[in-house]
C-alpha cells in the first residue's frame, strides 16, 4: 500500500510499504477515507521531539471504512463508516475504566522505552514515535485499528466524512481543554493559539456555556475564522505590548477565568526570553520555546484554571511561583478522545458544532509531502491539509 513515511528531520516521502492487516483478533482494518495533518506532527518534522524511526508511517487523525475485522470483534462490521480517536484505548484497564483513555495501560507495546522519560507510560498512538507504541500511522491507504470495538465510532447520517474527520483529534482535544476549565455560565475563557485545536477549544468553550471567548494568535486568517466561525473576540499578540495587560483590560481588571494553551513547544514570542529559548532549543539544552505557556500562566485570574493542550517536552523557566501565589489549577493531557467523540458527533449532526471549515487544503496522499510543507509554513491560510488515498472527490 502507499503511505507517507518519516525518514528524518524535514524528510518525508510517499512510499510503498507492507499492507496493514489483522495482527490480533480484536483488530479492525480500515480503508482510510480522509486523514489530516496535526500541529503535533510538526514537532517531529522539525526535530524538536525524538522517537520517530526512519520509515515510520506518519499521521494520527483519520476516518474511513471498515474492510476487515478480527475474530473477536463483535460490534464493528465490515462496511461501517467510522472515525477513530488518535490515542488507542483497550477499554478495560484501570485508566480506561476511568475514561482516561490516552493513559491506557494496555496499548503501548513500547512502554519500557517511555517509562524512564515520564515515570509511567502513556497509551499508544498511531504514527507518533516508537516510545508511543510504534504503530503505523494513518497517512496510508489502510490502517490497523487495535481494539476495534473500543476505538471505532459510527459516523451518523447527516455528518459528512470531512466533518467526522476532525472529531478524531482536533475537536476532542479542544473539547477536553474546555472541559478541563469547569466553565460556569458566563465565564470568560481565553484561548492561546488559533490552530485547529485552539479553534475547536474556543467553539467548545461556547458549547459549555462560556459568556466570552477570546482567541489570541497573530495570523490574521486564523483570527478571522475565530471571529466568523466561532464567534470569539480576538487579540493579535503581535500588535499589543502585553497579552496579559490586554486580557486584563478586556475583563475589567480581573483576568480570564480560564486560559487554554493550544500552541505548544514551537510557540513564538518576543523579547529576551524568546531569544534565550531559541538559543537553548538550538543547542538542545531545552526542547521548548514556552512563551505562550508562561504568558498563559500570567494571564489567568487568581484561582483560575490553566488548561494545557499544547505538546511540551522539557520546559525551562516555568513560573511556578505565579501558579502557587495565584492559586491556579493546571490541567493537561493528551486527548481522551473516546470520552468525547460520540458527544461531538451529535453536536455536529445537530448543527451546533462546525468542524469541516478546518480543512483549508485537500489533496491526494501522493501530494502529502507538499501538503506538510504548506501546513508547516502556514502558507495560503493553511489550517489543516487533508489527504485522500486515491482520487480527491470534487465535492464533499
Ligand atoms: N493534547 C493533545 O492531545 C493534543 C492533540 C492535538 C494537538 N496537540 C498540540 O496542540 C498544539 C496546537 O495544535 P494545532 O494543530 O492547532 O497547531 P498549529 O501549529 O496549527 O497552531 C498553533 C498556533 O499557535 C499560534 N501561536 C504561536 N505562538 C503563539 C503565542 N505566543 N501566542 C498565541 N498563539 C501563538 C500559531 O500562530 C498557530 O496559529 C500543538 O502543540 C499540538 O502538538 C495536542
Ligand atoms: Zn494530533
Ligand atoms: Zn486501557
Amino acid at each position: 500500500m502507499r503511505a507517507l513515511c518519516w525518514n528524518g528531520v524535514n524528510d518525508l516521502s510517499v512510499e510503498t510499504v507492507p499492507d496493514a492487516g489483522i495482527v490480533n483478533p480484536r483488530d479492525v482494518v480500515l480503508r482510510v477515507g480522509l486523514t489530516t495533518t496535526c500541529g503535533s506532527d510538526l514537532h517531529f518534522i522539525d526535530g524538536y521531539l525524538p522517537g520517530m524511526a526512519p520509515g515510520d508511517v506518519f499521521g494520527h487523525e483519520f476516518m474511513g471504512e471498515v474492510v476487515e475485522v478480527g475474530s473477536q470483534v463483535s460490534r464493528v462490521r465490515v462496511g461501517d463508516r467510522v472515525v477513530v480517536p488518535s490515542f488507542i484505548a483497550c477499554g478495560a484497564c484501570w485508566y480506561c475504566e476511568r475514561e482516561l483513555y490516552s493513559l491506557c495501560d494496555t496499548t503501548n507495546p513500547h512502554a519500557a522505552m517511555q517509562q524512564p522519560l515520564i515515570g509511567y507510560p502513556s497509551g499508544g498512538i498511531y504514527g507518533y514515535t516508537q516510545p508511543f507504541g510504534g504503530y503505523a500511522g494513518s497517512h496510508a491507504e489502510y490502517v490497523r485499528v487495535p481494539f476495534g470495538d473500543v476505538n471505532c465510532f459510527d459516523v451518523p447520517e447527516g455528518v459528512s466524512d470531512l466533518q467526522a474527520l476532525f472529531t478524531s483529534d482536533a475537536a476532542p482535544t479542544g473539547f477536553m481543554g474546555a472541559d478541563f476549565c469547569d466553565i460556569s455560565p458566563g465565564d470568560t475563557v481565553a484561548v492561546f493559539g488559533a490552530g485547529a485545536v485552539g479553534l475547536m477549544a474556543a467553539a467548545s468553550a461556547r458549547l459549555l456555556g462560556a459568556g466570552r471567548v477570546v482567541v489570541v494568535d497573530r495570523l490574521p486568517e486564523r483570527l478571522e475564522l475565530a471571529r466568523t466561525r466561532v464567534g470569539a473576540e480576538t487579540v493579535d499578540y503581535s500588535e499589543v505590548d502585553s497579552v496579559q495587560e490586554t486580557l486584563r483590560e478586556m475583563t475589567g481588571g480581573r483576568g480570564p477565568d480560564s486560559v487554554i494553551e493550544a500552541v505548544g513547544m514551537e510557540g513564538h514570542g518576543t523579547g529576551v526570553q524568546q531569544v534565550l529559548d531559541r538559543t537553548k532549543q538550538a543547542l538542545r539544552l531545552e526542547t521548548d520555546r514556552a512563551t505562550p505557556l508562561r504568558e498563559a500562566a500570567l494571564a489567568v485570574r487568581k484561582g483560575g484554571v490553566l488548561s494545557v493542550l499544547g505538546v511540551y517536552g522539557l520546559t525551562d523557566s516555568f513560573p511556578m511561583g505565579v501558579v502557587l501565589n495565584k492559586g491556579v489549577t493546571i490541567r493537561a493531557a493528551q486527548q481522551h478522545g473516546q470520552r468525547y467523540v460520540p458527544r461531538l458527533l451529535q453536536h455536529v449532526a445537530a448543527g451546533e458544532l462546525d468542524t469541516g471549515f478546518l480543512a483549508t487544503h485537500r489533496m491526494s496522499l501522493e501530494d502529502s509531502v507538499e501538503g506538510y510543507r504548506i501546513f508547516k509554513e502556514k502558507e495560503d491560510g493553511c489550517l489543516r491539509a487533508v489527504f485522500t488515498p486515491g482520487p480527491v472527490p470534487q465535492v464533499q
Side-chain angles (χ1 to χ4, degrees):
M1 65 176 185
R2 302 289 283 166
L4 178 70
C5 299
W6 183 95
N7 307 310
V9 173
N10 283 315
D11 183 2
L12 302 173
S13 60
V14 180
E15 309 282 347
T16 299
V17 303
D19 280 352
I22 301 286
V23 176
N24 290 315
R26 291 198 238 169
D27 290 349
V28 156
V29 175
L30 224 66
R31 187 197 337 264
V32 176
L34 298 172
T35 178
T36 183
T37 57
C38 174
S40 301
D41 300 330
L42 300 178
H43 314 321
F44 305 113
I45 293 177
D46 294 339
Y48 293 130
L49 283 182
M52 293 296 288
D56 279 354
V57 177
F58 220 29
H60 59 258
E61 185 162 357
F62 60 103
M63 58 78 59
E65 183 193 341
V66 174
V67 290
E68 206 180 340
V69 297
S71 59
Q72 287 179 26
V73 171
S74 56
R75 191 183 58 79
V76 175
R77 307 212 181 281
V78 169
D80 286 356
R81 184 172 72 115
V82 298
V83 60
V84 178
S86 51
F87 266 85
I88 307 165
C90 76
C93 72
W94 194 91
Y95 289 98
C96 285
E97 276 179 354
R98 284 156 183 79
E99 296 192 307
L100 300 169
Y101 295 105
S102 69
L103 307 178
C104 175
D105 252 347
T106 311
T107 57
N108 187 346
H110 297 169
M113 289 171 82
Q114 214 194 48
Q115 186 142 338
L117 300 172
I118 65 170
Y120 304 92
S122 74
I125 179 169
Y126 308 90
Y128 195 88
T129 78
Q130 295 298 315
F132 280 86
Y135 289 96
S138 60
H139 295 336
E141 289 177 89
Y142 298 91
V143 62
R144 168 189 163 226
V145 177
F147 297 101
D149 283 335
V150 178
N151 293 301
C152 294
F153 292 87
D154 286 330
V155 179
E157 255 180 59
V159 175
S160 72
D161 287 0
L162 206 53
Q163 288 172 315
L165 170 67
F166 296 107
T167 65
S168 162
D169 187 284
T173 302
F175 195 90
M176 179 183 75
D179 192 26
F180 281 169
C181 297
D182 286 335
I183 295 170
S184 298
D187 272 4
T188 298
V189 178
V191 181
F192 283 38
V197 173
L199 291 172
M200 288 294 102
S204 302
R206 293 201 75 88
L207 280 174
L208 290 170
R212 286 176 80 187
V213 178
V214 184
V215 174
V216 182
D217 204 304
R218 87 192 143 99
L219 299 174
E221 62 281 4
R222 292 186 175 200
L223 292 172
E224 164 94 18
L225 289 173
R227 288 189 296 270
T228 56
R229 297 295 194 142
V230 182
E233 298 164 65
T234 56
V235 172
D236 178 342
Y237 68 82
S238 67
E239 301 243 301
V240 298
D241 287 338
S242 156
V243 173
Q244 184 200 349
E245 283 307 319
T246 306
L247 290 173
R248 192 211 298 270
E249 276 167 26
M250 290 173 84
T251 53
R254 191 164 62 195
D257 298 293
S258 39
V259 178
I260 301 172
E261 199 281 0
V263 180
M265 63 200 304
E266 293 174 58
H268 304 108
T270 50
V272 179
Q273 190 62 54
Q274 177 74 358
V275 174
L276 198 64
D277 280 337
R278 273 194 181 278
T279 311
K280 282 180 163 180
Q281 200 174 41
L283 295 173
R284 296 289 186 262
L285 293 174
E286 74 174 335
T287 58
D288 309 345
R289 299 198 299 263
T291 307
L293 187 60
R294 297 185 192 106
E295 283 185 346
L298 283 168
V300 69
R301 72 157 163 81
K302 293 185 283 185
V305 176
L306 170 56
S307 167
V308 183
L309 300 174
V311 166
Y312 284 94
L314 298 170
T315 302
D316 279 6
S317 312
F318 181 70
M320 200 58 213
V322 172
V323 171
L324 177 87
N325 289 308
K326 288 204 308 190
V328 172
T329 301
I330 302 182
R331 300 200 61 188
Q334 298 274 17
Q335 64 131 341
H336 304 305
Q338 291 77 355
R339 180 165 168 181
Y340 300 111
V341 173
R343 173 178 184 163
L344 289 167
L345 287 168
Q346 290 312 318
H347 281 309
V348 173
E352 295 155 354
L353 177 68
D354 188 7
T355 56
F357 76 92
L358 300 175
T360 51
H361 291 68
R362 298 200 54 185
M363 58 196 77
S364 156
L365 178 68
E366 296 299 319
D367 299 323
S368 53
V369 176
E370 172 65 0
Y372 266 98
R373 191 194 64 73
I374 296 170
F375 174 61
K376 182 181 151 180
E377 302 300 330
K378 308 198 174 1
E379 205 173 280
D380 186 26
C382 186
L383 192 58
R384 280 282 189 269
V386 174
F387 310 131
T388 312
V392 182
Q394 291 305 304
V395 182
Q396 188 66 35

